Amino acid sequence: MKKYKWLLFDADNTLLDFTRAERAGITDTLLNMGLPATDEVVTAYSKINDGIWKELERGLVTKEQLKVLRFERLCSLYSFEADPAAIAGEYVKNLSKYGFLCDGALELCRTLYGKYDMYIITNGIKTIQDSRFGKSGINDFFIRSFISDEIGCEKPGRAFFDYVANSIDGFDPTYALVIGDSLTSDILGGVNYGIDTCWVNPKGHEKPADLPITYTVTTLSEVASLLGEE
């Protein structure tokens, strides 16, 4: 008998290569807005964006604020004379074009499809995520995508997982597994909700002593192995 019935996959940098997509999307945006798309500026944006998403997880900013605030901070850092709201609109359009997959994501989806009830759980922006999922080629493997922008609350909050649990017929946390790369979003959310977790840790970061992670993998192929689906 299988230990799990429901697999809850994070999207960005778990299944979808967000790092690559973000770099392509912000480069397109800066160039289209007549701003310098140097490695320095692109890297600075990525750090700003990551920091604001972590602020969102802690409830310090709203999703609507996040969309423009990251570009306000970038413009302030480099004294760009540009409208942050206009840059934000351009960025949504450009990021939506890129559905790059992480290594092994398609193979893993094919291996697990039909053996588990699979869902995506993501803190992303709905219009962007819907487009990227469609372009990635993995949509058909998943019953549904739960997107925080649509739900109105974020991982790791209990309200997000309550929504997911209440939306899946017969859901029992005991037979579910959260699979994701973010300790502060995916793993913490799963742990707090009583769901087993699988930390996707390709860079081999040290496992935090205060977070009871059920499994840790460095490649997506290891997920199939730990589920006995090699």
Side-chain angles (χ1 to χ4, degrees):
M1 181 178 176
K2 295 182 184 298
K3 180 172 176 57
Y4 302 109
K5 174 176 173 59
W6 298 281
L7 302 181
L8 309 179
F9 280 89
D10 171 53
D12 287 323
N13 286 338
T14 298
L15 294 172
L16 299 183
D17 188 340
F18 180 76
T19 301
R20 182 181 173 194
E22 179 188 56
R23 189 169 189 84
I26 191 62
T27 298
D28 289 350
T29 299
L30 292 169
L31 292 173
N32 291 348
M33 298 297 293
L35 298 170
T38 63
D39 284 345
E40 178 188 339
V41 174
V42 169
T43 299
Y45 168 76
S46 183
K47 290 179 179 178
I48 290 170
N49 188 47
D50 183 63
I52 292 180
W53 277 100
K54 285 186 167 51
E55 290 177 30
L56 179 73
E57 292 171 9
R58 300 196 302 272
L60 301 178
V61 299
T62 67
K63 182 68 66 63
E64 286 305 310
Q65 290 171 330
L66 173 148
K67 293 175 184 178
V68 178
L69 182 58
R70 50 193 174 179
F71 296 107
E72 290 179 352
R73 291 182 182 177
L74 184 70
C75 288
S76 176
L77 179 64
Y78 287 102
S79 300
F80 290 154
E81 294 185 2
D83 178 5
I87 302 174
E90 180 70 15
Y91 180 66
V92 168
K93 180 181 70 176
N94 290 313
L95 183 59
S96 298
K97 298 186 298 188
Y98 298 109
F100 304 127
L101 288 172
C102 293
D103 290 344
L106 184 58
E107 294 79 5
L108 178 63
C109 290
R110 285 173 173 162
T111 297
L112 302 181
Y113 181 64
K115 300 172 183 176
Y116 303 86
D117 291 349
M118 301 198 298
Y119 297 85
I120 291 175
I121 55 171
T122 175
N123 272 354
I125 295 169
K126 179 172 171 54
T127 54
I128 295 175
Q129 298 299 67
D130 281 345
S131 176
R132 293 175 63 227
F133 294 153
K135 294 178 185 302
S136 72
I138 61 171
N139 254 347
D140 290 344
F141 297 108
F142 293 89
I143 296 171
R144 178 177 174 181
S145 297
F146 293 99
I147 305 174
S148 64
D149 192 39
E150 181 178 26
I151 295 172
C153 48
E154 323 292 327
K155 296 179 294 181
R158 187 172 186 86
F160 181 95
F161 286 90
D162 276 338
Y163 186 96
V164 172
N166 292 332
S167 300
I168 299 174
D169 187 43
F171 185 81
D172 182 343
T174 306
Y175 301 103
L177 179 68
V178 170
I179 302 162
D181 71 298
S182 172
L183 292 173
T184 58
S185 174
D186 312 313
I187 305 305
L188 180 60
V191 168
N192 287 345
Y193 208 76
I195 303 174
D196 282 0
T197 56
C198 178
W199 181 29
V200 180
N201 179 26
K203 294 184 179 179
H205 294 304
E206 184 176 354
K207 181 178 177 180
D210 60 346
L211 198 58
I213 304 169
T214 314
Y215 312 101
T216 300
V217 300
T218 57
T219 67
L220 287 177
S221 63
E222 293 174 67
V223 176
S225 298
L226 71 86
L227 291 171
E229 306 292 349
E230 297 177 272

